[in-house]
Amino acid sequence: MKYPEIVSSLTLEEKIRMVTGDGAWHTYTVDRLGVEGIMMTDGPIGLRKVDEASNKTYISVAFPSGCLTACSFDRELLRQMGDTIGKECQSYDVGMILGPAINIKRSPLCGRNFEYLSEDPYLTGELAASYINGVQSNNVGTSLKHYAANSQEYRRMSYDAKISERALREIYLAGFETAVKKSQPYTLMCSYNKINGTHASENKWLLTDVLRDEWGFEGAVISDWGAVNYRDRALKAGLDLEMPGNNIANKDFILKALADGSLTMAELDTAVDRVIDLSRKCSAGKKEVPFDFEKDHETAARIAEGSMVLLKNDGRILPLKKETKVALLGEFAVRPRIQGGGSAFINTYKVDSILECMQAYGNVEYTKGFEIDDDTVKEDLIEDALRLCASCDTAVVIAGLPDNYESEGYDRKHMHMPSNQLALISALAKAGIPTVIVLQNGAAVEMPWADDVSGILEAYLGGEAAGTAIANILYGKVNPSGKLAESVPFQLEDNPSFLNFPGNGYEVNYAEDIYVGYRYYDKKKMAVRYPFGYGLSYTTFEYSDLKTEAVEDPSNLIKVSLKVKNTGDVFGKEIVQLYVGDVSDKAGRADRPAKELKGFEKVSLEAGEEKTVEFLLDERAFSYYEEKIGGWMIPTAEYSIMVGSSSRDIRLEKTIYLDLGQSIPLHITQNTTFGELLRDERTRQYTIDNLMGKKASGILSFGIEAATAMMDHNPIRGLRNFSNEKPERVDEIIYELKQLSDDE
Ligand code: GLC
């Protein structure tokens, strides 16, 4: 406890107030004890400060959404974004921003995928930590959300996520773990849903055992707005602050639980202490910082530029030349889609028109081609577009998803783009018009037209300066450097969660387990439209000289280095990705993904320049979560170290052998199989010498591997049925084997 004297001086009423929001956005103040309440606002792409009297939202700068910033694979860029938002908080006297939002993209349909970062937990955790460190470098707090497994909007306050512990640890919690360990967010925000039968808001395993006892989290846990089920249970589980307060509506739950002893005063005091600590940490950041809207708008443009993904550039249709006559099509060109709906929505300072930004460069004429608010195909609009194209060199279509296709509060039902957009793109293709598609969408869309166009720029939801970023990339002022943080399947049905999303509204079976996104597609060797980690540049890069070496330092195992060269004629940034895969025979062992992202570095290179890139791989880079031991382990195996330009463009590879002597304890019973005994070096020889001849004479003549496979399904108890061993001898054998396997 950090403030025992304050806590002990509070009345019970004051204590209950401290663990409950003061209205929708504040924590309580206790003047007489010097406890100053703080204001918190959404997040995560900018400041959504609500004036509670008028319910109006202050003007602020809308940065790019998580779906785009994750594609930067740029820790420094995310830190800068966090730092800028942290300073904006100071300008508006806000103590904490409610973000980042980092739930894993289990399905492309989740309505809030625009807010979230990736399908990969490593990328998610690294970038979340950077954003948090940026914000908190100003003594302004963050709220890492939504902890955990809020992977859909459908019945988000009710559904029960049925997830194996391994999938939780390796996929759905891993990003939170990295962010907690690398940035100590002032708070975590628990999610609405249940996890394996218990609401996240009262899930002690989640909020205390894992978060605090294992990961060392030091901050406060706040609820999502209205996520508390029973306030007393939540306090016991480790949920410190209920939001929003509603004049402490849940007071009676606390009083009753204190009276009947199911909640102790010490448990209440612990939560009070954490909220006081939160207030103190956030108040330390108070300072007069002018809100420089123009400067932050420029920063938003740089972040968008460093994140957008060039998916296709046939015939180098891009960058456009100033003299290129461009037909700019699609109503998004003048009404850009720059952010998602719901609590993340920002009252923007100003939104750049894509048309105006492009006209600043060259000869650009606009016609609608399709409307945003009406999906029906309008032939007259298409004819206007074709007419304009007839006198132009290139068509640029600003396409994507209208606001109502995706939002907090509901999920998509499909991955299609509006039919009027598809009709326009098809007409352009039929007319043989060289076409570039720019996408403004919050989540992956099906692209049946991808082979019919020459260029594709995935701009996602690029914030209020998206127009500037798009124009600067299309005309080559900026060389695009983003890579996809989510796989783009050919069709929704290919996605591993398809058969189990969004569930029946009560239970959601995460049946795909750890095989989320590229982990699934790669394991199945399934073709995808665009793979995780994919993105083009206006230049090219060459990888060489991959080296690996063991390192002695306590926290790392392997150092990896390689050279990357810019072999083109313009400056560019390359995101070098490092994947690890256990390539040994998995017989008798847990199955594992073909590859998992365990490192990335974004390297800037002038034309012709070459740099060395280095990675340090710790134990976790090779580990998987073994439920039998309730912990992480590295099986003795061969591991492939893969470095590449995308998950499907591995340029260099080296295989290393790791033996850290870690194994799963062999618990010997009469149902232990001969296969298990033969695969375990402690029992193999005994089994060969004493059992093989008895059970299946001559089977060893097939060789140990075949014998193991053939005997794999035979339990020891089979000796009673198929050998001339006395029954009591079987018990002796089990005892002797237990001695060998040190299984008490
Ligand atoms: C919402 C969202 C959460 C947000 C909070 C406050 O329901 O789930 O992300 O921070 O409430 O608006």
Side-chain angles (χ1 to χ4, degrees), residues 25 42 98 112 145-146 156 189 192 224-225 343 408:
W25 307 110
D42 287 308
L98 299 170
R112 291 183 82 169
K145 67 188 187 181
H146 310 87
R156 64 177 177 165
M189 183 191 295
Y192 284 119
D224 199 339
W225 271 234
S343 59
E408 175 175 346

Side-chain angles (χ1 to χ4, degrees), residues 498-516:
F498 176 70
L499 293 176
N500 293 285
F501 184 95
N504 60 15
Y506 298 90
E507 285 189 359
V508 185
N509 181 12
Y510 284 50
E512 72 282 357
D513 203 64
I514 61 171
Y515 294 103
V516 174

Side-chain angles (χ1 to χ4, degrees), residues 15-28 40 188-190 201-202 220-235 238-254 268 271-272 275 278:
K15 287 181 182 179
I16 293 174
R17 286 188 180 281
M18 286 307 296
V19 298
T20 310
D22 179 5
W25 307 110
H26 291 83
T27 61
Y28 272 99
M40 59 189 83
L188 257 73
M189 183 191 295
C190 81
S201 61
E202 55 196 40
V221 177
I222 75 173
S223 75
D224 199 339
W225 271 234
V228 168
N229 181 38
Y230 289 103
R231 185 67 187 106
D232 52 315
R233 294 184 199 170
L235 277 168
L239 187 115
D240 306 304
L241 178 64
E242 176 180 16
M243 296 305 289
N246 181 14
N247 197 20
I248 49 173
N250 280 330
K251 170 178 167 181
D252 290 347
F253 286 102
I254 299 174
L268 176 58
V272 171
V275 175
L278 173 64

